[in-house]
Amino acid sequence: MMIASTQRLVVRDWTESPHDLARVYDIYSREEVMRWLGGGAGRMTDPAEARDRVRLWRDRWAPYAGRWGLWAIEPRDRW
């Protein structure tokens, strides 16, 4: 679901698409990223963890119907 957009960017829910799962893993497996995000589920060490993380986010933020959450932000030209 698209949450918001501008002329240059789209803010949307993360999905379980291979592209999104690869991006989630890339971000959350990096020590230089995770040291700033703190605690939580910690740094990913297995790509399969990305699917679990996306599902956790979806379940956690679903009651808020797009008002709060963790979203993917990407250039509009990918849409």
Side-chain angles (χ1 to χ4, degrees):
M1 170 173 75
M2 185 186 318
I3 304 299
S5 65
T6 68
Q7 288 182 344
R8 294 178 36 214
L9 299 173
V10 172
V11 179
R12 63 173 179 76
D13 287 318
W14 288 102
T15 69
E16 293 185 35
S17 72
H19 175 76
D20 275 6
L21 294 178
R23 288 176 63 200
V24 168
Y25 180 72
D26 181 51
I27 293 166
Y28 287 86
S29 66
R30 294 173 182 252
E31 183 130 354
E32 65 271 20
V33 171
M34 293 308 296
R35 77 173 179 193
W36 299 107
L37 296 181
R43 188 172 71 83
M44 291 182 188
T45 57
D46 179 348
E49 294 174 275
R51 184 177 310 278
D52 294 336
R53 189 75 55 100
V54 168
R55 288 177 179 171
L56 178 108
W57 294 337
R58 183 178 52 228
D59 293 346
R60 178 178 292 159
W61 300 106
Y64 302 104
R67 293 176 295 185
W68 293 284
L70 293 171
W71 301 299
I73 301 172
E74 60 188 9
R76 179 171 278 291
D77 61 4
R78 295 196 65 153
W79 271 67

